[in-house]
Structure formats: structure tokens, C-alpha cells
Amino acid sequence: MADDSPASHRRDPIKSSVGNVAAQRRRQNAVTVGKERRESLVRAKRLCRVGPSADGDVPVEGNDMITDEEEFLLEAQTSSAVEDLKSTVAYQGKGAMQKRVNALRELRRLLSKSEFPPIEAALKAGAIPLLVQCLSFGSQDEQLLEAAWCLTNIAAGKPEETKALLPALPLLIAHLGEKSSLPVAEQCAWALGNVAGEGEELRNVLLSQGALPPLARMMLPNKGSTVRTAAWALSNLIKGPDPKAATELIRVDGVLDAILRHLRKSDEELATEVAWVVVYLSALSNFATGVLVKTDVLHLLVERLATSNSLQLLIPVLRSLGNLVAGDSHTTSTILVPGLEITDGVIKVLVKCLKSEHRVLKKEASWVLSNIAAGSVEHKQLIYSSEAVPLLLHLLSTAPFDIRKEVAYVLGNLCVAPTGGDGKPNLIQEHLVSLVQRGCLSGFIDLVRSADVEAARLGLQFMELVLRGMPSGEGPKLVEREDGIDAMERYQFHENEDLRNMANGLVDKYFGEDYGVDE
Amino acid sequence: MAMVVDYQHDLSFPYWTSTRRRFDPDSPFFSSGNIERELLAKQVALDLTEDERNQLEKMVAKDARGVFCPIVGCGARLISLEDFEDHYNARHTASCSVCSRVYPTSHLLSIHVSEAHDSFFQAKVARGYAVYECLVEGCGLKFKSYKGRQQHLVDKHKFPTSFEFFKKALPSKKQRQKNHRKQAMHKKDEEASSKMEVENETMDGLVSAVSKLSTSDSSPSTVSFGRRHTRGLTFVPRSVQHEKRADFRLAGAKR
């Protein structure tokens, strides 16, 4: 990875860094490394630093702050390793294969040493065509493995670095086949997973080259790291935005069964990757959602949510549940019928997530509850009388903004009846009164004060319910007491016309001339 | 059994409707979960310090492209929604310690304080000095009367003709009841020299013009400055009966 600072495109290694300039450059480097590191952390690509056989011949370095000199050295070594590889590939004589494997291994080590492999140096030296050659059919497993490993780490870098793998793709896909040894197939899957993680364009290339069926088949066995890697690669491959791949995947023979089997029985690590596959299946493909809800998948997801404490697993499982509920009204209306055991189970695990300390779980659990609360009156009653409400009320006043917004959706949905055919906005007074008495109004008024248009809208809509629906005309007094008028007055100078009109409308209607006169 | 209350609605307000919400997998709604996924997966080989975690959270927040203050004419860029609250309280709330009215800038607040609570100000007015300052910062012109300033704002600075700097505050409940009784008895007994010259015509104009305001110019589109912090008739209700209002005098002005 080259120094990104515009000032020094070419660093002079002979001069030693002295004093201020050096310190400044190190600081600059640190900022760049910091940014790069953060970006690499959140990328959907993963470096392979330890091989499938976990050979301990390379110490994995934890310290990523390498100096300019070290970096330059690494790049130089990489270039020369590629040169070596070139000569071994050309060489046809005795022991050629071993020489080639050694050269590949050297390059692989250089590309696995640190968090920021010298990818650019490798590419500049012409590594790709050589690696492609090393993937040719009939090559020894060790050679294939090392070559695929090099490609994996090259593909874990920046977009243009990942794209450099294009010539290698058909071969990588070919080596996923059932005749390949498992470690080789797994390493190729890993490389392809990184490529798929880059973006839609590369995903489409992989799909059109037929990457999906062999990867899908790799998910069928009961266990093994290969299954896990394949599931991860698949999740990157089908993530769309085109739903075609997701639909294609669920149709592959044995895949649905394998997914259910892994969700039911496999260890948490494997179940995690499979759950992510379900996340994308349920978010993108209506067909897949339809197929899934006819199985006992909801039960399996509830089981996992109830028994696991691994955040890594809980996130995709919860989200899968959320997607299945959100994607099809059929789920709520036909499967999660109030009174059934499965429905109670779902509410229970959602409550467990609300109690979690993890922000993502609280937010997404609230989202799922809001969708269930968007169901029938019976659904609303079910949630209203569950353990969820006290938790939600607490979250509304204490949680971070993104959680509060979702909680607002749940509580508001509990207070309005399903929209009838004539579109009349009827409210459920019993729920409204109780929730307001328990102090939720100030939380909604806080949302009105935020800069987020959607949240402000929710707050104003809820205020309207209170103003209209509280018995004995209590609404306006309650709103005033919580500084609701003040909150609405912010919209006088607000840029958003909708919000201005909403706020104006409420003040006009409920805090007009005669407000408070007949007391 | 939950009671379902029927209501006759008017079409202009977008009522709360409970609907299912679905998100695409690449929706920003899911981004914190996605980031968490990658962090957890890579943490095996890495040591994320507390500092780095915070940086990452900030990065996510920045991905939402920060927040711009939505108050007309402000445009301040804020890092997060939490920041917005601080910004709003610092910049857009200046309240009068005497009558609790709130103004969006300290400049306007100070003008209000002089004009509403300072007897020396009133004395100068009575003697014919030009003490009514133009509201636009940097203009600096002064006028002998409220109305004169008003005209200047409209002519020179393109304020809407219905603009009112000083809004009548809603008096306390006691005062309102008193006023109602008084009104019934002394309907014609108008005090001629109101120090706060809110003319009847202006009031009419105000009522009808409020609804026609737009934000095409730089001045705020709605006209009510000086709303009381705790009580709020800042928006002039469309159905207001202006004759009644003209009789309301600010109790405070008489103190």
C-alpha cells in the first residue's frame, strides 16, 4: 500500500527521516493508516492471514504502524518475489513445480504479513498473469492453494485492486468444483467472496460466469470451514440490489434444506454466515421469502434468538426475522397469529433483544415490533399487554436517537387502528390514554425538536393523536405542559413546508383564540 | 376490548397510519448492523481500541452526511442530531428575562427588551426621538414610530406587509377571564394611546396574510417573533376574531 500523501509520491529511502519532517510524516502516515484501517475494517472483504491448515510459519503481526522504511522494504521484497515467480513459471525443467510453489509461498507470506498488504507493488510487478497461470488445470493442490491465497489478499484491497482479478475469475470458479480438494475450493471461494464484496458490477460478472451453483453446493455438507466460507461468499454474491441471484439461490437443489439444517443444528459461527444468507434472501427476493415462511424457519430463528448470546449471530437472525415480517403481510396475518405459540415466542425474543445492551439489537427489534404492531387490533393488544411496553417507554426517554425513532413507531402504531377501507384515522383510545399517562408524550415532543424530518413528522403526528384523542379535551393541556407548543413553534422558521403546515395546523386548531378561556 | 374512536377528519393533516416498513439490504437503516458484522468478523485478528470504536461510530454518523440546521437562513452544518439540539439552544433561542418571550437572535431580543420593558425608551419616543431600530442587522436606521419602522421593513427590506415584530402575548388565565368580563362591559372603551401600536388594519392584514407567506426571500416566512416561552399563541389562528384581540392589551406594558 503506497503512501497516499500527495506531497511525496516517490519516497527517497536513502535519506533518513530526521526530526520534525519525519515526525510530521509519521503523523500523516498515522492519519492515513487510521483512515485506511477504518475503511478496511468495514469493508465486506476479508484478508486471509492464516491458512486452512493453520501453518504457524508466519507470525501474524498485530502492530500495523509500520514505518516508511519498513513499508519500502516490504514493497521491494514483493517486487522481487514476483520476479522470482516469473522466472519459476517460465522454467520448465527439473523441480519446476517445487520452485514455483516456493516462490508463491514467499509472495503469499508477504501478502499476509500485515493489515495492509503490499498489493499495489504486487500488481505493478505483474503478479496477476503469473497467478492466473499458476491456476491452470492439472496443477498441484499446493500450487493452486498458494496462488488462490495470493489472489484472495489482493482482492481484499481497494476497488481497483479487486477488479484486477478479472482474468483469474473463470479459473477460480472452476476450482470450486466437486473434484477439487476442500482446502483449494475453500481458498477459491474466499477469493471470490472478496470479489463479490466489491460491488454490483463484479457480482454480475461472477453470476454470469456461473459462480453461484458451485458455491451453493459447497454449503450442503453438515460442517467444516469450507461450508462457512462458502456461505459467507454467497452472502456477498447475492446481496443485490438485483434480486435475481437470491431467487436463483433458493431454487438450487438442496439449498433450502441445508439452510434450515444449519440454522437448526450447526455451531454458532456457521449459523451466523448462513443467517446472513437468509438476511439477503428475505430482503431481496419475494419468492425466497414465500418459500421460507412455509418452512419452520421462524421457529428456528426464534430458537436461536432465545438461546444465543453471540451478538454476531443475533444480528443476522434478528434481521432475518425482521425481513420475513416486513416483506410479506402474510407472515403477520397468517403465521404470527395472536394466541399461537410461535407468536408468543417471537414477542418474547424481541423483548429479550430490547433488554440487550447492544444498540443494533434494540433498534432492529423495535422495528420488527413496529411491523407486528401494524397488524390487526389483536396484534396491537398482544404487544400492548406484553413486557415490551414498559421497556419501550423507558427506551423512548433514554436511548440514542435511532432507537427512539423506532420505538416511536411501535408506540404510535399501538394507538391507531388498522387503516380501514375509507382511510379514516381511527385511534385506540385505551392504548393512547394509558401510554400517555405513563409519560410517553415528552419523548415524542423531543422527536419534534430534532433536526430529522422523519422523526419530527412522527412526533407531530403523535401529538395530533393526543390532541384529538385524549378524553375530556385533556390533550391540549397535556401538550402544553410538556412544552409541546414551544416545540411546534420551532417550525415557524423551518425550511420544510410540510412540517410547517402540520405544526401550524395543530396550533391553529387546538391553541387558537379560545384556548383556555372556558375553564 | 380496545375502544376505537371514530373521528371526522379534515384532509390537510397527514394522520398517523400504521403500516409495515420494509428496507432494502443496502438501506442506511441497516448500516450500523452491517458495520458491526464486519468489525466482529475481523476483530479476531485485531485489537480494536475504544478510541477506534468511537472513530468508527463517527464515521457511520458522517456517512449520514451530517445535518444541516433547518431553520431558514441558518444553514449551519452539524455533525449529528445530538449536536443540533445544542446548536438550536445556543443560536435560536434568546429569551427575555422579563416576559419570557423567545427570539431567534440576541439582536432581536435586545430590541424587544428596549421597546417592551424600558421606560426610558418610551420617554424618548414621547419626546420624538428616533429610537425604533431597524430589525435587519447592519442596517442601522432608526425611526420615530413603530409604524414607521414597520413601513421601512416592508419598503426597504421586503418584509411581508403583515409582519409584526411585537406580538400580543396571551395573558394569564386570570387575566383572560378578567378581560372577558371587561370586554363585555367596556366594549367601546379603547385606550387611545397604546404604546404597542398594533393597528386594527395591520391585524386584519396579518390574519389573512399569514397563510400566504413563503420563504422565497431571506426573511423568515412566518411572522411571529417574540413568542412567549411558556404560552404560545405565536401563530395567528386563521379563525381569529380580530376585534376581540385588538382590545387585549399586554398586561405587562402597563406595569
Side-chain angles (χ1 to χ4, degrees):
Chain A
M1 190 196 81
D3 187 331
D4 284 342
S5 62
S8 57
H9 185 66
R10 281 230 160 276
R11 276 158 300 115
D12 193 341
I14 298 169
K15 296 200 194 103
S16 55
S17 319
V18 225
N20 243 2
V21 178
Q24 198 180 46
R25 210 133 38 86
R26 256 195 294 279
R27 241 174 282 127
Q28 219 175 34
N29 210 23
V31 169
T32 317
V33 167
K35 211 179 80 154
E36 284 278 345
R37 178 178 160 91
R38 285 198 298 275
E39 279 169 1
S40 75
L41 281 178
V42 301
R43 265 183 221 144
K45 304 170 191 170
R46 297 178 188 179
L47 267 179
C48 177
R49 298 185 65 183
V50 178
S53 51
D55 56 356
D57 64 343
V58 180
V60 171
E61 277 179 26
N63 180 18
D64 303 317
M65 284 288 302
I66 58 175
T67 64
D68 284 355
E69 285 77 15
E70 282 172 0
E71 202 179 320
F72 180 77
L73 187 62
L74 189 60
E75 289 175 7
Q77 285 173 326
T78 305
S79 299
S80 94
V82 175
E83 281 304 314
D84 282 345
L85 182 60
K86 188 187 271 179
S87 56
T88 63
V89 164
Y91 180 61
Q92 295 294 336
K94 197 163 176 220
M97 211 267 324
Q98 193 53 50
K99 283 194 165 73
R100 226 173 297 140
V101 169
N102 291 342
L104 281 169
R105 189 171 289 150
E106 182 53 27
L107 180 59
R108 179 262 289 174
R109 282 184 187 138
L110 292 168
L111 288 169
S112 314
K113 258 173 106 164
S114 84
E115 187 59 17
F116 304 104
I119 299 173
E120 199 178 319
L123 290 174
K124 257 201 195 123
I128 298 284
L130 300 167
L131 293 169
V132 170
Q133 272 194 276
C134 293
L135 284 179
S136 51
F137 296 127
S139 306
Q140 294 282 357
D141 278 357
E142 231 184 318
Q143 180 176 313
L144 294 172
L145 185 61
E146 298 285 354
W149 190 336
C150 291
L151 288 167
T152 299
N153 287 357
I154 292 175
K158 302 179 197 159
E160 57 276 13
E161 293 166 351
T162 310
K163 286 197 180 100
L165 256 80
L166 275 169
L169 299 183
L171 283 164
L172 288 168
I173 295 173
H175 288 298
L176 295 175
E178 64 273 11
K179 295 288 192 285
S180 295
S181 78
L182 280 184
V184 169
E186 183 180 349
Q187 199 56 62
C188 292
W190 196 324
L192 292 170
N194 278 345
V195 174
E198 168 45 43
E200 192 185 352
E201 212 184 298
L202 283 173
R203 263 173 237 143
N204 288 336
V205 171
L206 286 173
L207 290 167
S208 58
Q209 291 182 354
L212 193 133
L215 274 175
R217 282 192 288 272
M218 284 167 75
M219 237 190 3
L220 303 188
N222 276 329
K223 57 186 163 83
S225 64
T226 310
V227 184
R228 197 175 75 229
T229 306
W232 167 73
L234 275 169
S235 73
N236 271 355
L237 188 59
I238 64 170
K239 63 168 56 156
D242 192 323
K244 245 185 347 197
T247 307
E248 197 186 321
L249 177 61
I250 199 76
R251 289 193 139 116
V252 172
D253 223 3
V255 161
L256 179 61
D257 179 66
I259 288 176
L260 296 171
R261 205 185 335 123
H262 292 307
L263 285 177
R264 187 177 299 123
K265 292 190 286 196
S266 293
D267 64 76
E268 291 196 328
E269 272 189 315
L270 177 47
T272 299
E273 300 302 343
V274 173
W276 279 106
V277 174
V278 178
V279 164
Y280 290 109
L281 287 173
S282 55
L284 289 165
S285 167
N286 290 330
F287 177 77
T289 304
V291 167
L292 282 164
V293 298
K294 289 194 179 75
T295 67
D296 64 343
V297 76
L298 284 174
H299 176 81
L300 299 174
L301 295 171
V302 168
E303 261 311 294
R304 286 287 184 174
L305 284 169
T307 56
S308 171
N309 286 313
S310 153
L311 180 61
Q312 249 184 317
L313 174 60
L314 293 172
I315 292 177
V317 172
L318 175 60
R319 195 180 289 183
S320 296
L321 175 61
N323 285 340
L324 291 171
V325 168
D328 191 353
S329 62
H330 172 86
T331 314
T332 320
S333 58
T334 329
I335 301 174
L336 296 180
V337 175
L340 294 181
E341 195 186 323
I342 181 70
T343 315
D344 288 332
V346 166
I347 306 286
K348 215 157 154 204
V349 293
L350 291 175
V351 165
K352 180 187 171 198
C353 292
L354 288 180
K355 287 183 185 160
S356 157
E357 50 168 343
H358 297 293
R359 195 162 159 163
V360 176
L361 296 180
K362 288 188 273 203
K363 173 182 167 181
E364 297 194 17
S366 302
W367 165 59
V368 185
L369 278 169
S370 75
N371 280 337
I372 300 176
S376 68
V377 174
E378 289 75 28
H379 281 105
K380 296 166 201 273
Q381 284 174 310
L382 183 65
I383 296 177
Y384 171 73
S385 49
S386 76
E387 219 189 314
V389 170
L391 290 166
L392 292 167
L393 288 168
H394 178 74
L395 288 170
L396 186 64
S397 44
T398 58
F401 175 79
D402 53 351
I403 297 173
R404 281 188 281 130
K405 200 159 84 165
E406 296 309 311
V407 169
Y409 272 109
V410 188
L411 295 175
N413 283 352
L414 291 179
C415 296
V416 300
T419 321
D422 53 4
K424 269 193 176 184
N426 300 326
L427 45 83
I428 303 177
Q429 203 178 48
E430 183 191 330
H431 294 175
L432 178 69
V433 170
S434 165
L435 292 174
V436 170
Q437 277 174 352
R438 291 198 255 176
C440 74
L441 183 56
S442 61
F444 279 95
I445 293 179
D446 267 345
L447 291 177
V448 174
R449 291 179 204 281
S450 84
D452 181 60
V453 172
E454 188 191 339
R457 205 157 194 277
L458 281 180
L460 288 170
Q461 285 175 317
F462 191 82
M463 280 169 74
E464 191 277 331
L465 295 177
V466 169
L467 290 166
R468 165 173 39 122
M470 291 302 281
S472 322
E474 261 179 70
K477 272 188 246 132
L478 289 166
V479 166
E480 186 185 8
R481 201 189 315 147
E482 300 293 342
D483 282 335
I485 303 178
D486 180 68
M488 288 192 286
E489 288 179 348
R490 289 192 175 200
Y491 291 89
Q492 296 178 68
F493 307 116
H494 203 280
E495 287 177 330
N496 186 300
E497 191 172 336
D498 270 342
L499 294 177
R500 278 208 314 268
N501 292 338
M502 283 170 80
N504 275 2
L506 290 179
V507 173
D508 279 1
K509 189 176 187 123
Y510 294 99
F511 298 101
E513 177 61 19
D514 300 316
Y515 176 58
V517 161
D518 350 284
E519 268 156 50
Chain B
M1 179 57 192
M3 270 170 47
V4 180
V5 176
D6 211 319
Y7 187 75
Q8 190 179 10
H9 66 290
D10 79 89
L11 295 153
S12 53
F13 192 90
Y15 298 99
W16 189 301
T17 50
S18 66
T19 50
R20 249 182 318 127
R21 289 173 302 136
R22 185 185 194 179
F23 297 107
D24 285 332
D26 54 3
S27 160
F29 181 77
F30 289 135
S31 61
S32 36
N34 291 341
I35 288 174
E36 196 66 49
R37 174 192 188 186
E38 294 308 329
L39 291 184
L40 289 167
K42 286 153 186 161
Q43 243 169 334
V44 182
L46 309 162
D47 242 318
L48 264 191
T49 64
E50 193 57 45
D51 211 28
E52 285 176 308
R53 261 202 174 269
N54 290 336
Q55 295 263 23
L56 275 156
E57 298 224 353
K58 278 211 197 102
M59 211 173 83
V60 181
K62 273 204 181 107
D63 271 350
R65 259 158 276 121
V67 160
F68 284 97
C69 176
I71 302 300
V72 170
C74 179
R77 190 171 185 277
L78 311 153
I79 305 172
S80 70
L81 292 167
E82 281 72 29
D83 274 356
F84 170 69
E85 194 60 34
D86 291 337
H87 163 81
Y88 187 91
N89 289 332
R91 287 294 166 77
H92 302 296
T93 55
S95 70
C96 177
S97 48
V98 177
C99 68
S100 315
R101 269 188 182 70
V102 181
Y103 292 86
T105 67
S106 38
H107 177 237
L108 290 169
L109 174 63
S110 74
I111 293 181
H112 155 77
V113 169
S114 311
E115 296 179 10
H117 306 303
D118 185 1
S119 42
F120 284 116
F121 181 90
Q122 293 311 322
K124 285 192 225 160
V125 170
R127 285 201 189 95
Y129 287 98
V131 282
Y132 284 97
E133 265 184 75
C134 173
L135 302 183
V136 176
E137 273 185 81
C139 178
L141 288 177
K142 298 197 187 185
F143 303 86
K144 292 192 187 168
S145 72
Y146 182 89
K147 228 183 150 192
R149 183 207 24 223
Q150 191 77 348
Q151 201 55 47
H152 164 80
L153 290 172
V154 171
D155 294 339
K156 191 77 188 296
H157 300 293
K158 312 276 191 287
F159 273 45
T161 47
S162 50
F163 175 79
E164 272 300 334
F165 176 51
F166 190 80
K167 288 279 297 186
K168 289 284 198 220
L170 263 193
S172 67
K173 172 169 152 188
K174 217 176 180 177
Q175 189 64 37
R176 270 181 277 133
Q177 286 170 339
K178 223 166 109 186
N179 286 340
H180 258 275
R181 286 195 293 275
K182 229 165 110 185
Q183 191 184 284
M185 297 192 301
H186 311 281
K187 194 130 196 178
K188 287 173 192 125
D189 192 11
E190 271 190 52
E191 258 123 329
S193 58
S194 161
K195 296 189 177 109
M196 307 301 146
E197 286 163 16
V198 179
E199 315 284 323
N200 286 354
E201 313 93 76
T202 339
M203 198 49 83
D204 284 1
L206 186 99
V207 170
S208 57
V210 155
S211 41
K212 294 182 198 145
L213 298 169
S214 69
T215 41
S216 53
D217 49 41
S218 57
S219 54
S221 68
T222 48
V223 292
S224 33
F225 282 125
R227 62 202 179 285
R228 205 174 259 280
H229 195 67
T230 50
R231 223 41 177 92
L233 191 71
T234 335
F235 301 81
V236 177
R238 304 221 173 91
S239 57
V240 94
Q241 290 128 350
H242 50 269
E243 310 93 321
K244 268 198 210 156
R245 295 210 72 227
D247 284 318
F248 277 26
R249 299 294 184 233
L250 175 63
K254 304 272 182 63
R255 288 192 206 114

